[in-house]
């Protein structure tokens, strides 16, 4: 069945550092891929998505590229801010209309000033 | 503001109490979900409703009882819970992208439940 694996946290970085959070997936066909973010005390919000191979999703300085050959969708940001501290979830939606979104375990990110 | 409102934000209850969680969406979506978020565990999908009909129940214990009176409201009725049921309960609604078939989930802020 479909699955998502993302790097375990917590990840601690200094402000302005480069961020990578790894995500790989297992699925048949070409699923849609997502990154959701959960800020403290809130629910999850869609951060970015990509629906086909080589698509790049981007939002708020974050980027992720859909790599079919490596079944990956790594999240990157060139210069993180304290306000980026949150939990990040990689997710996928399968190719069948009845498929529900599957989430990774989440990676907690701490940015130090 | 995501358009999905959950109440209460926090709830403390004893194991013999009966309480209800409420979720309301103002987005015109036709699917609603309950998720359970526990520390150090993946998000667990509990229930799915499409057009007010329950389409998924992921082996959730009967002490959790969902209700969806219309496409904008979703409830989770709780009774005789256990301490291990303490978690953040998230409601979500979705809009299917008919072009690509993907679902975009919109989440509420959750109810933090503590069972004593």
């Amino acid at each position: 069945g479909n699955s998502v694996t993302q790097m375990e946290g917590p990840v601690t970085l200094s402000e302005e550092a480069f961020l990578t959070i790894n995500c790989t997936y297992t699925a048949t066909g070409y699923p849609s891929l997502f990154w959701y973010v959960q800020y403290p005390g809130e629910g999850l919000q869609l951060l970015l998505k990509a629906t086909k191979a080589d698509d790049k999703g981007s939002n708020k300085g974050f980027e992720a590229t859909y790599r079919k050959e490596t079944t990956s969708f790594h999240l990157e940001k060139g210069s993180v801010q304290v306000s980026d501290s949150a939990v990040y979830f990689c997710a996928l939606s399968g190719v069948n209309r009845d498929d529900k979104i599957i989430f990774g375990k989440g990676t907690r990110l701490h940015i130090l000033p | 503001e995501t358009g999905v409102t959950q109440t209460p934000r926090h709830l403390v209850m004893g194991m013999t109490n009966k309480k209800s969680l409420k979720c309301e969406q103002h987005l015109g979506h036709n699917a609603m979900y309950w998720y359970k978020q526990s520390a150090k565990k993946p998000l667990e999908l509990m229930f799915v409703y499409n057009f007010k009909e329950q389409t998924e129940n992921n082996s959730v214990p009967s002490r959790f009882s969902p209700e969806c009176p219309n496409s904008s409201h979703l409830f989770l009725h709780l009774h005789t819970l256990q301490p291990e049921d303490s978690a953040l309960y998230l409601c979500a609604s979705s809009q299917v992208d008919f072009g690509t078939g993907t679902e975009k989930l919109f989440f509420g802020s959750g109810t933090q439940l503590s069972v004593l």
Side-chain angles (χ1 to χ4, degrees), chain A residues 46-88:
Chain A
L46 180 64
L47 179 61
L48 52 84
K49 72 180 179 86
T51 57
K52 58 183 186 294
D54 301 323
D55 262 4
K56 177 185 285 187
S58 61
N59 186 23
K60 299 182 180 180
F62 291 89
E63 293 182 340
T65 301
Y66 190 141
R67 301 286 188 200
K68 181 66 175 175
E69 63 277 14
T70 54
T71 61
S72 65
F73 193 55
H74 304 321
L75 182 68
E76 297 181 336
K77 186 173 185 180
S79 177
V80 292
Q81 306 300 312
V82 172
S83 57
D84 294 326
S85 299
V87 181
Y88 292 82

Side-chain angles (χ1 to χ4, degrees), chain B residues 3 10 14 38 65 96:
Chain B
H10 302 274
S38 306
S65 174
V96 176

Side-chain angles (χ1 to χ4, degrees), chain B:
Chain B
E1 179 58 49
T2 65
V4 180
T5 304
Q6 288 187 243
T7 54
R9 290 296 304 272
H10 302 274
L11 179 63
V12 178
M13 58 188 290
M15 288 190 285
T16 58
N17 292 158
K18 290 184 179 180
K19 297 286 185 183
S20 296
L21 311 185
K22 179 181 176 182
C23 177
E24 184 175 1
Q25 58 101 356
H26 311 277
L27 301 168
H29 293 166
N30 52 30
M32 296 187 77
Y33 310 75
W34 280 116
Y35 283 87
K36 177 182 178 182
Q37 186 177 26
S38 306
K40 300 183 180 179
K41 293 176 72 174
L43 272 173
E44 300 173 51
L45 179 61
M46 300 174 72
F47 302 103
V48 181
Y49 278 81
N50 281 305
F51 294 100
K52 304 186 298 177
E53 298 298 320
Q54 187 180 124
T55 58
E56 196 154 336
N57 174 341
N58 281 339
S59 304
V60 180
S62 59
R63 57 186 184 268
F64 296 91
S65 174
E67 178 189 2
C68 188
N70 55 61
S71 57
S72 298
H73 293 85
L74 185 64
F75 296 89
L76 188 62
H77 304 300
L78 316 172
H79 64 98
T80 60
L81 294 191
Q82 305 299 310
E84 60 265 28
D85 297 322
S86 299
L88 180 68
Y89 289 85
L90 291 165
C91 173
S93 67
S94 76
Q95 168 189 332
V96 176
D97 184 325
F98 291 106
T100 60
T102 60
E103 289 183 44
K104 303 175 188 178
L105 286 172
F106 292 76
F107 284 84
S109 298
T111 295
Q112 186 66 54
L113 174 67
S114 297
V115 182
L116 304 179

Side-chain angles (χ1 to χ4, degrees), chain A residues 10-22:
Chain A
V11 173
T12 303
L13 296 172
S14 298
E15 203 165 24
E16 299 183 3
F18 184 87
L19 168 71
T20 300
I21 300 178
N22 290 337

